[in-house]
Amino acid sequence: MNEMTFPLRTDGTECLYEQIYEHIKKEIKAGKLLAGEKLPSTRFLAEYLQVARSTVDYAYGQLLSEGYIESRPCKGYFVCPIEDLFQLEDIEEERQRDIGGRISGGLNGRPPLTQPETAADRSSGTEAHEGADANCCFRVDFSPYEIDMSGFPFSVWKKITKNILTFANSELFARGEAQGDYALRQTIAKYLHSSRGVNCRPEQIIVGAGNDYLLMLLEKILGRHVRIAMENPTYKRSYKIFRSFAYHITTVDMDEAGMRSDKLEQADVSTAYVMPSHQFPTGTVMPIGRRMELLKWAGGAERYLIEDDYDSEFRFHGKPVPALQASDRHGRVIYMGTFSKAIAPAIRISFMVLPDTLLEKYLKTCSFYSCTVSRIDQSILNEFIRDGYFERHLNKMRKLYRVKHELLLECLQPLQDRFAVSGENAGLHLLLTSRSGVPEGELVRKAASQQVRVYGLSESMVEDAADSATVLLGFGGLSEEKIREGAELLRRVW
Amino acid sequence: MNEMTFPLRTDGTECLYEQIYEHIKKEIKAGKLLAGEKLPSTRFLAEYLQVARSTVDYAYGQLLSEGYIESRPCKGYFVCPIEDLFQLEDIEEERQRDIGGRISGGLNGRPPLTQPETAADRSSGTEAHEGADANCCFRVDFSPYEIDMSGFPFSVWKKITKNILTFANSELFARGEAQGDYALRQTIAKYLHSSRGVNCRPEQIIVGAGNDYLLMLLEKILGRHVRIAMENPTYKRSYKIFRSFAYHITTVDMDEAGMRSDKLEQADVSTAYVMPSHQFPTGTVMPIGRRMELLKWAGGAERYLIEDDYDSEFRFHGKPVPALQASDRHGRVIYMGTFSKAIAPAIRISFMVLPDTLLEKYLKTCSFYSCTVSRIDQSILNEFIRDGYFERHLNKMRKLYRVKHELLLECLQPLQDRFAVSGENAGLHLLLTSRSGVPEGELVRKAASQQVRVYGLSESMVEDAADSATVLLGFGGLSEEKIREGAELLRRVW
């Protein structure tokens, strides 16, 4: 317990939860808490430090999310083995120096569950995931791909648009830079740095009309015959896109930490596509240990990690988990984000951050491709982010989604003896797995008999969609009333 | 002369020039005027028909443009040999039935030089050709890639945008159809039909953010290893794009009718990229005979013609030349157009019309790619075209460009003993070829010494940029004052 003895400032100048979290992280990285070592129980530590137990719970929760510690059922919390601790130390220090205040600030000791952070603290680009066919026969469609459009900041968007068209000179209607307007790239770089820990210069950013397009451009940069690893299940749209290229796709097994690095080492691939902040569809948050393993894999040769940070904005518990790119020292991560999910699918603005080696290739071989986003739209988005509207919008949406998220969890409570709920840490959907192994097909059919649409996990499976007993329930696009109605119908029929 | 005896309506109900043009075309197609046959001189025919000589001039001019007749220096006008006359007959009849009134109407006997047609009569999508590096050291930049932004219909665009944002429901901000909104595709189909003779259903249209993107998508549809023919010189941006694919590019010699079909037959290619309405950079208008030859080439096997109809709006003399697609019976033409050149480069909206065989492939293999244009932008453009603003805008721009075009021709008059001027029928640039063979490099350098930028033809050359003595002078982006200043400086130094 020596490692747990540290001066806790209780004068209110520093957040208690933060202090505990930072202290334990530091001890782990300094090698004072060793891999496999057991941490004191939350109850014990709370008493010891004379703080509320929930404060320790949140500190442990954050360490868990980021993969510094793990929880063993009925045994307690243990320190995780972490690849390349020394390197991690450097990176972390650098990150703290750069953005520490922002990444860790702002909670004032209150648990994050009831106090949303500022938008800049946890948001990033996202991709609206594949829209399922609209089917008007359903009374309730638990689509995991829909977002809540009622929250669209209509009047602000209109105001900015009007101003831009009023004050704009004809320049705005002329051809812009191939990578996107520099002003917007500056704004994005700043935003990514403060909210996601991403380290990049505006020069590394390429703005494009949607992730699909950017992946097409990336194909031109990476070359035509990439051997790529994907998780299974994964984001099916990206899978289809890679398949439409000449890419050779290998699926790599997942465990509860995401893509298995040992399996990745064995696979004959040069690139891996991952969603470390919130894997789709499983909701897995990749812990820091696994991240370091993947980075080590990529650093060992000319390999790349494509990080699709599609919905990191919508994390409801704990602090934002930084991007994988934030820990990348060797320029192996291609970071992709979008504003389609956080603002509106119609806002066709995504971006990718290229490491320098790939930036060079892009400039040599692809920079003649015109930017696919109009300068007017770029200017509107730039003002929207720059003037703080995006942050406010994210806060609003996060609250709105949290309410729905908790409502759905609550409504599904009566089903918990028959179903295990997972993916509840982030994003706009939950996963329900039948404890008795009822196949997903049956679950989907039964739901459909009540005019409720749920989504089988196998829809996101790349190969041998085995015998899944898991369905996805999205809540982003549903009103509270519809969530209640849908859950009630499911309770009746399942 | 029997063929020239026909009832000319002189009561003013039908345009004289049109009647002569239509009659001769009909006689050629009916085989009454045979290939190689000499036409009466314009002077003779004018006297014979008792009309102004300029009326006959315009009729012959249009037949020349469309390739029905040819002019042999000091000898007169002769009927061209035309491939597959019988097939042509059918198509033409169909086209006349469908759109004849619109394609040929509206001139009221006045020469087109002083009477602009309606926009719908000759416009189509275009692509703003590659922007050269802005170089502020130049006093006058005769860039062939710039357009006049002072004509941008600012207040109308603002008004439509405001209305759309006011009345729009949240639907507009949701994900739209992959091919683009159906309403916009309907509007484009209607517009293409009336103005360019293009026959297509909205289902065949794919809307995308720029031609570059659409070519990337086309790569996914046509497959990865296309063997493609291009003219030389050609539009360099398309060349670069094809080169960035795994395409095998073969250049096919041009003559004054465009890509040589005999050479194309010999080339081992399955696809040809052409700009029949106005070849860039030579300004060649492909005559109907050559068009039929190309269509025959493509129809013989599973071959395709990519028709880049990038600036057919800006033709200053005669009627609009219909699109190649309008003569396509066998579904071999992929028609591409854009609004970047006709409206503004920032309007990143282009489209392509797929023949049915390729549409099927698209639907099977590529329809999961999200549309790259935001629905808001699509709606604005849709209203802009549908409510007649586009037509008005084109009329205005055509007048504006014609004034500049004539001014530049006039200013270059004193240089005509040293330079041959070509490409003067359409588009936003002229070509000057040194009669004494002064190499383009010297012309460019001498111009630069006066801070005037002109563009060597070899910039558009794909291979062995030989010993060009030709430079391009664009006038689209220059004020009248700048055109005068630039031409004056060139006169001094050349």
Side-chain angles (χ1 to χ4, degrees):
Chain A
M1 277 300 294
N2 263 353
E3 296 79 12
M4 291 302 161
T5 308
F6 67 100
L8 198 66
R9 272 185 229 161
T10 52
D11 56 358
T13 55
E14 277 186 52
C15 155
L16 293 172
Y17 140 77
E18 280 287 327
Q19 291 181 63
I20 300 168
Y21 158 79
E22 288 294 349
H23 175 76
I24 298 176
K25 194 167 79 169
K26 207 173 117 203
E27 297 292 294
I28 293 173
K29 290 195 298 181
K32 293 181 184 163
L33 281 167
L34 293 173
E37 202 164 328
K38 188 174 185 299
L39 292 185
S41 72
T42 54
R43 178 195 296 255
F44 183 91
L45 189 59
E47 277 173 20
Y48 182 79
L49 294 174
Q50 290 292 300
V51 298
R53 190 165 160 198
S54 62
T55 303
V56 179
D57 276 341
Y58 283 112
Y60 277 28
Q62 188 65 30
L63 291 164
L64 264 174
S65 294
E66 298 191 13
Y68 287 98
I69 63 174
E70 60 189 357
S71 156
R72 299 183 194 157
C74 312
K75 288 194 175 159
Y77 295 97
F78 294 82
V79 177
C80 292
I82 295 168
E83 180 82 40
D84 209 339
L85 261 183
F86 182 72
Q87 187 193 348
L88 178 67
E89 181 81 345
D90 292 350
I91 295 171
E92 282 294 315
E93 263 174 23
E94 201 170 280
R95 191 161 69 78
Q96 291 303 324
R97 202 169 53 235
D98 284 358
I99 56 162
R102 270 157 300 184
I103 271 269
S104 56
L107 287 182
N108 297 320
R110 268 187 284 172
L113 191 68
T114 54
Q115 168 71 14
E117 294 95 320
T118 60
D121 272 341
R122 43 156 91 181
S123 43
S124 126
T126 60
E127 170 75 344
H129 276 128
E130 190 157 0
D133 297 335
N135 193 326
C136 43
C137 298
F138 287 108
R139 282 163 70 178
V140 183
D141 184 349
F142 282 106
S143 167
Y145 311 110
E146 295 299 314
I147 70 168
D148 188 330
M149 284 305 304
S150 73
F152 183 78
F154 212 75
S155 57
V156 167
W157 201 262
K158 215 168 93 185
K159 192 184 86 184
I160 296 177
T161 306
K162 201 180 141 198
N163 285 348
I164 281 179
L165 286 178
T166 302
F167 297 113
N169 45 38
S170 61
E171 220 174 75
L172 257 193
F173 291 88
R175 179 180 291 272
E177 290 172 76
Q179 288 185 235
D181 282 357
Y182 197 78
L184 175 61
R185 286 187 281 143
Q186 275 182 311
T187 301
I188 292 176
K190 204 172 143 195
Y191 162 70
L192 285 181
H193 190 62
S194 67
S195 74
R196 310 288 305 124
V198 167
N199 297 304
C200 72
R201 309 182 308 283
E203 284 75 11
Q204 290 172 264
I205 296 177
I206 297 174
V207 172
N211 276 20
D212 300 5
Y213 167 72
L214 288 173
L215 287 176
M216 282 167 109
L217 192 61
L218 191 57
E219 183 203 11
K220 306 295 172 211
I221 303 169
L222 288 176
R224 279 181 207 99
H225 301 287
V226 172
R227 303 183 68 86
I228 193 166
M230 298 187 87
E231 291 152 324
N232 189 24
T234 187
Y235 180 34
K236 205 64 176 285
R237 172 184 289 277
S238 297
Y239 171 74
K240 284 185 192 165
I241 289 171
F242 294 142
R243 206 180 43 180
S244 82
F245 300 167
Y247 282 15
H248 186 275
I249 305 171
T250 302
T251 54
V252 168
D253 288 346
M254 289 182 73
D255 57 20
E256 70 293 340
M259 185 178 276
R260 279 180 58 177
S261 48
D262 55 337
K263 296 281 183 186
L264 181 60
E265 288 284 0
Q266 289 161 22
D268 176 23
V269 296
S270 61
T271 305
Y273 171 88
V274 286
M275 296 163 272
S277 302
H278 184 230
Q279 206 265 357
F280 189 91
T282 62
T284 305
V285 178
M286 190 180 285
I288 185 73
R290 183 63 52 83
R291 290 173 183 227
M292 296 314 290
E293 288 164 18
L294 291 190
L295 286 169
K296 193 187 168 198
W297 168 83
E302 215 209 316
R303 290 170 178 157
Y304 293 100
L305 293 159
I306 300 175
E307 174 176 27
D308 187 349
D309 205 22
Y310 73 102
D311 81 344
S312 54
E313 287 91 349
F314 302 120
R315 190 166 147 71
F316 306 122
H317 306 281
K319 291 196 307 170
V321 178
L324 174 63
Q325 202 268 9
S327 308
D328 179 23
R329 295 228 98 180
H330 299 293
R332 312 321 304 176
V333 174
I334 300 154
Y335 179 89
M336 309 196 73
T338 168
F339 295 98
S340 299
K341 192 139 193 165
I343 304 181
I347 309 302
R348 304 301 299 151
I349 311 186
S350 298
F351 56 88
M352 64 180 169
V353 179
L354 293 178
D356 281 325
T357 42
L358 293 182
L359 179 63
E360 209 176 298
K361 276 196 193 173
Y362 163 81
L363 291 172
K364 256 189 215 154
T365 59
C366 299
S367 56
F368 56 85
Y369 284 107
S370 314
C371 184
T372 43
V373 184
S374 89
R375 296 189 73 187
I376 301 166
D377 294 353
Q378 290 187 55
S379 302
I380 295 169
L381 179 64
N382 186 34
E383 289 205 10
F384 188 72
I385 304 173
R386 197 196 56 200
D387 297 351
Y389 296 112
F390 185 46
E391 197 171 310
R392 262 171 268 168
H393 173 64
L394 283 176
N395 281 336
K396 175 179 153 191
M397 295 312 290
R398 213 176 282 122
K399 271 186 207 167
L400 206 146
Y401 287 136
R402 182 154 47 214
V403 168
K404 292 186 184 186
H405 177 258
E406 281 166 18
L407 174 65
L408 181 58
L409 275 173
E410 189 191 308
C411 292
L412 295 175
Q413 196 67 36
L415 283 167
Q416 293 229 332
D417 53 335
R418 275 162 290 160
F419 291 90
V421 176
S422 56
E424 71 276 29
N425 284 321
L428 305 184
H429 71 272
L430 298 173
L431 290 93
L432 266 73
T433 304
S434 163
R435 294 187 196 277
S436 58
V438 179
E440 60 161 57
E442 198 178 320
L443 296 173
V444 170
R445 271 192 305 279
K446 279 190 175 167
S449 74
Q450 300 295 308
Q451 294 175 294
V452 176
R453 184 166 185 185
V454 298
Y455 294 73
L457 180 67
S458 65
E459 283 186 25
S460 300
M461 302 288 257
V462 168
E463 44 192 31
D464 45 55
D467 38 351
S468 150
T470 302
V471 290
L472 275 65
L473 267 70
F475 53 84
L478 293 176
S479 65
E480 294 182 36
E481 196 179 48
K482 282 286 174 191
I483 291 175
R484 275 198 200 91
E485 184 187 347
E488 173 57 35
L489 291 166
L490 290 179
R491 275 204 304 274
R492 260 187 245 163
V493 76
W494 282 349
Chain B
M1 277 299 294
N2 264 352
E3 296 80 11
M4 291 300 160
T5 309
F6 66 101
L8 198 64
R9 273 184 229 160
T10 52
D11 58 357
T13 56
E14 276 186 54
C15 157
L16 293 172
Y17 140 75
E18 280 287 326
Q19 292 181 61
I20 300 168
Y21 159 78
E22 288 293 349
H23 175 75
I24 298 176
K25 194 166 80 170
K26 208 174 116 202
E27 296 294 294
I28 293 174
K29 290 194 299 181
K32 293 183 185 160
L33 280 166
L34 294 173
E37 202 163 330
K38 187 175 185 298
L39 293 184
S41 73
T42 55
R43 179 196 295 253
F44 183 90
L45 188 60
E47 278 173 19
Y48 183 78
L49 295 174
Q50 289 292 301
V51 298
R53 188 163 161 201
S54 63
T55 304
V56 180
D57 276 341
Y58 284 112
Y60 276 28
Q62 187 66 29
L63 290 164
L64 263 174
S65 295
E66 298 192 11
Y68 287 98
I69 63 174
E70 60 190 356
S71 156
R72 298 184 194 156
C74 312
K75 289 194 175 158
Y77 295 96
F78 295 81
V79 176
C80 293
I82 295 168
E83 180 81 43
D84 208 339
L85 259 183
F86 184 72
Q87 188 193 348
L88 178 68
E89 183 79 346
D90 291 351
I91 293 170
E92 283 294 316
E93 263 175 21
E94 201 169 279
R95 192 161 67 80
Q96 291 304 323
R97 203 168 52 236
D98 284 359
I99 57 161
R102 270 157 301 184
I103 270 269
S104 55
L107 287 182
N108 297 320
R110 268 187 283 172
L113 191 68
T114 54
Q115 168 73 13
E117 294 93 323
T118 61
D121 271 342
R122 43 155 91 179
S123 41
S124 124
T126 61
E127 169 75 346
H129 275 130
E130 190 159 358
D133 299 335
N135 193 326
C136 42
C137 298
F138 287 106
R139 281 162 73 178
V140 182
D141 183 348
F142 281 106
S143 168
Y145 310 110
E146 295 299 313
I147 70 169
D148 188 330
M149 284 305 305
S150 73
F152 184 78
F154 213 74
S155 57
V156 167
W157 201 263
K158 215 168 93 183
K159 191 184 86 182
I160 296 178
T161 305
K162 202 179 142 196
N163 285 349
I164 281 179
L165 287 178
T166 302
F167 298 114
N169 44 38
S170 62
E171 221 173 74
L172 256 194
F173 291 89
R175 178 182 292 273
E177 289 172 77
Q179 288 184 236
D181 282 357
Y182 196 78
L184 175 61
R185 286 187 281 143
Q186 276 180 310
T187 301
I188 292 176
K190 205 172 142 195
Y191 163 69
L192 285 180
H193 189 61
S194 66
S195 73
R196 309 289 304 125
V198 167
N199 297 304
C200 72
R201 310 182 307 284
E203 285 75 10
Q204 289 172 265
I205 296 177
I206 297 174
V207 172
N211 276 19
D212 300 5
Y213 168 72
L214 288 173
L215 288 176
M216 281 167 109
L217 192 61
L218 190 58
E219 183 202 12
K220 306 294 171 212
I221 303 168
L222 287 177
R224 278 180 210 100
H225 301 286
V226 173
R227 303 182 68 86
I228 193 166
M230 298 186 87
E231 291 151 324
N232 189 24
T234 186
Y235 181 35
K236 206 65 176 288
R237 172 183 290 277
S238 299
Y239 171 74
K240 284 185 192 164
I241 289 170
F242 293 142
R243 205 180 44 179
S244 83
F245 300 167
Y247 283 14
H248 185 276
I249 305 170
T250 303
T251 54
V252 169
D253 288 346
M254 289 181 74
D255 57 20
E256 69 294 339
M259 184 178 276
R260 280 181 57 176
S261 48
D262 56 336
K263 296 281 183 186
L264 181 60
E265 288 283 0
Q266 289 160 23
D268 176 23
V269 297
S270 60
T271 306
Y273 171 86
V274 285
M275 297 162 273
S277 302
H278 183 231
Q279 206 264 357
F280 188 91
T282 61
T284 304
V285 178
M286 190 179 285
I288 186 73
R290 182 62 53 86
R291 290 173 185 227
M292 297 313 290
E293 288 163 17
L294 291 190
L295 286 169
K296 193 186 168 199
W297 168 83
E302 214 209 315
R303 291 170 177 159
Y304 293 100
L305 293 160
I306 300 175
E307 174 177 26
D308 187 350
D309 205 21
Y310 74 102
D311 79 346
S312 53
E313 288 90 348
F314 301 120
R315 190 166 146 72
F316 305 122
H317 306 281
K319 292 196 307 172
V321 178
L324 174 63
Q325 203 266 10
S327 307
D328 179 22
R329 295 227 100 178
H330 299 295
R332 312 320 303 175
V333 174
I334 301 153
Y335 178 90
M336 308 196 73
T338 168
F339 296 98
S340 298
K341 191 139 194 166
I343 304 180
I347 309 303
R348 305 300 300 150
I349 310 186
S350 298
F351 56 89
M352 64 180 169
V353 179
L354 294 178
D356 281 326
T357 42
L358 293 182
L359 179 63
E360 208 176 297
K361 275 196 195 171
Y362 163 82
L363 290 173
K364 256 190 214 154
T365 59
C366 298
S367 57
F368 56 84
Y369 284 108
S370 313
C371 185
T372 43
V373 184
S374 90
R375 297 190 72 187
I376 302 165
D377 293 352
Q378 291 186 55
S379 302
I380 295 170
L381 179 64
N382 185 34
E383 290 205 10
F384 188 72
I385 304 173
R386 197 195 57 199
D387 296 352
Y389 297 110
F390 185 45
E391 198 172 307
R392 262 172 268 169
H393 173 63
L394 282 177
N395 281 336
K396 175 178 154 192
M397 295 312 290
R398 215 176 280 123
K399 271 186 208 167
L400 205 146
Y401 287 137
R402 183 156 44 215
V403 168
K404 292 186 184 188
H405 178 257
E406 281 166 19
L407 174 64
L408 181 58
L409 275 173
E410 188 191 310
C411 291
L412 296 175
Q413 196 66 38
L415 283 167
Q416 293 229 334
D417 54 335
R418 275 162 289 161
F419 290 91
V421 175
S422 57
E424 71 278 27
N425 284 321
L428 305 184
H429 71 272
L430 297 174
L431 290 93
L432 265 72
T433 303
S434 163
R435 295 188 196 276
S436 58
V438 179
E440 60 161 57
E442 199 179 320
L443 297 173
V444 170
R445 269 192 306 279
K446 277 191 178 167
S449 75
Q450 299 296 309
Q451 294 175 296
V452 176
R453 185 167 184 183
V454 298
Y455 293 73
L457 180 67
S458 65
E459 283 187 23
S460 300
M461 301 288 258
V462 167
E463 44 192 31
D464 44 56
D467 38 352
S468 150
T470 302
V471 289
L472 275 66
L473 268 69
F475 53 84
L478 293 176
S479 66
E480 293 182 35
E481 196 180 44
K482 282 285 174 191
I483 291 175
R484 275 199 201 90
E485 184 186 347
E488 173 58 34
L489 290 166
L490 289 180
R491 275 203 303 274
R492 259 186 248 164
V493 76
W494 281 349

